């Protein structure tokens, strides 16, 4: 069964304190792994898509990496505006019409 | 660009009442989705559509119906609302491959 597990559930960082969020997945053939950001009361906002192990993508203070079993979202020198819930989702090669979402990591960056 | 627009944004129903959530997208996307998001659970797929006139069941379809009469619109109906359907509902769309674009959400409370 396709499964996505994110850790930690919540993370509090001081401004400038770098860290990583984890997304472990089990899927029958990975077509793509997606990272989204969700602010309170809003819909998820797309950040990255990763397709194969070893791939990396960057955007401002965020960098996403992918292995065969997990993905990391690295946050370098975070700012308070980076506070949000970060969601990971996988798209399987079979059943490609759906994305399976994790429960998210709620990140709080303290000034 | 409006992107994905959901109406209404908030609704309170009594058990047994019916209602329809409307999703409209202006990106000419073929694929449209309805998800629900509950505390402690990831986004779960209710129904989806791969094109005008088509619909298919997702993970949690019971108690919901959908219609895609026009390419730009995807309707989610609750025929007889139950308290278990209290949730935040998100509509999303995409092209054949690629990321999902989400609406802002519709918060439904069933008393």
């Amino acid at each position: 069964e396709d499964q996505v597990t994110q850790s930690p559930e919540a993370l509090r960082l001081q401004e400038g304190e770098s860290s990583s969020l984890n997304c472990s997945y089990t899927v029958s053939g990975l077509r793509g792994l997606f990272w989204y950001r969700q602010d309170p009361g809003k819909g998820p906002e797309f950040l990255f898509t990763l397709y194969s192990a070893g791939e990396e993508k960057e955007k401002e203070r965020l960098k996403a990496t992918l292995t065969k079993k997990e993905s990391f979202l690295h946050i370098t020198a975070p700012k308070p505006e980076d506070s949000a819930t970060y969601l990971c989702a996988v798209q399987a090669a079979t059943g490609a019409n759906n994305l399976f979402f994790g429960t998210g990591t709620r990140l709080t960056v303290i000034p | 660009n409006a992107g994905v627009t959901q109406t209404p944004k908030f609704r309170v129903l009594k058990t047994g009442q019916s209602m329809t959530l409307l999703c409209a997208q202006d990106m000419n996307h073929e694929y449209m989705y309805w998800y629900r998001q509950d505390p402690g659970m990831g986004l779960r797929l209710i129904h989806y559509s791969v094109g005008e006139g088509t619909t298919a069941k997702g993970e949690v379809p019971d108690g919901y119906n959908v219609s895609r009469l026009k390419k730009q619109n995807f309707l989610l109906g609750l025929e007889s609302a139950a308290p278990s359907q209290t949730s935040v509902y998100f509509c999303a769309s995409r092209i054949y491959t690629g990321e999902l674009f989400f609406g802002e959400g519709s918060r439904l409370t069933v008393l």
Side-chain angles (χ1 to χ4, degrees):
Chain A
E1 182 178 307
D2 299 335
Q3 200 165 9
V4 178
T5 303
Q6 291 188 247
S7 62
E9 288 187 15
L11 181 63
R12 289 173 64 90
L13 298 173
Q14 290 292 134
E15 184 172 0
E17 179 187 2
S18 301
S19 188
S20 297
L21 313 182
N22 178 262
C23 171
S24 297
Y25 64 91
T26 304
V27 67
S28 50
L30 181 70
R31 177 167 289 192
L33 185 141
F34 301 79
W35 282 99
Y36 285 84
R37 170 191 171 127
Q38 186 174 23
D39 292 300
K42 301 288 187 181
E45 177 184 345
F46 171 73
L47 293 173
F48 303 109
T49 308
L50 301 167
Y51 293 103
S52 58
E55 189 175 0
E56 297 183 353
K57 289 197 176 169
E58 288 189 64
K59 179 180 180 180
E60 296 180 357
R61 295 175 293 282
L62 301 177
K63 182 167 108 174
T65 62
L66 181 65
T67 72
K68 288 187 177 180
K69 292 186 178 181
E70 58 192 352
S71 177
F72 292 94
L73 185 66
H74 307 278
I75 303 176
T76 302
K79 298 182 178 181
E81 53 262 40
D82 295 322
S83 297
T85 296
Y86 291 85
L87 303 174
C88 170
V90 296
Q91 183 181 24
T94 57
N97 290 323
N98 188 20
L99 269 62
F100 289 95
F101 283 83
T103 54
T105 293
R106 188 174 67 255
L107 173 67
T108 304
V109 182
I110 305 160
Chain B
N1 286 339
V4 178
T5 304
Q6 294 182 228
T7 53
K9 290 184 170 42
F10 301 93
R11 185 75 187 268
V12 179
L13 290 178
K14 294 181 179 179
T15 297
Q17 287 185 319
S18 64
M19 74 158 295
T20 300
L21 298 177
L22 171 64
C23 176
Q25 53 97 1
D26 62 2
M27 297 174 283
N28 202 35
H29 287 170
E30 289 291 334
Y31 288 50
M32 296 188 74
Y33 300 78
W34 276 107
Y35 286 88
R36 60 177 290 173
Q37 187 174 43
D38 302 292
M41 306 187 78
L43 287 155
R44 292 181 292 167
L45 182 64
I46 305 171
H47 286 282
Y48 65 96
S49 168
V50 300
E52 182 178 318
T54 74
T55 62
K57 294 180 180 180
E59 302 170 63
V60 289
D62 294 342
Y64 304 95
N65 57 75
V66 288
S67 64
R68 182 102 180 266
L69 297 180
K70 293 183 179 180
K71 184 177 183 179
Q72 64 268 35
N73 295 339
F74 196 29
L75 278 63
L76 178 70
L78 285 72
E79 290 187 347
S80 180
S84 61
Q85 294 177 303
T86 293
S87 187
V88 182
Y89 292 85
F90 287 99
C91 177
S93 71
R94 67 180 175 101
I95 57 175
Y96 173 66
T97 59
E99 68 272 19
L100 288 171
F101 292 83
F102 284 87
E104 294 282 273
S106 298
R107 185 176 296 275
L108 174 65
T109 302
V110 182
L111 302 175

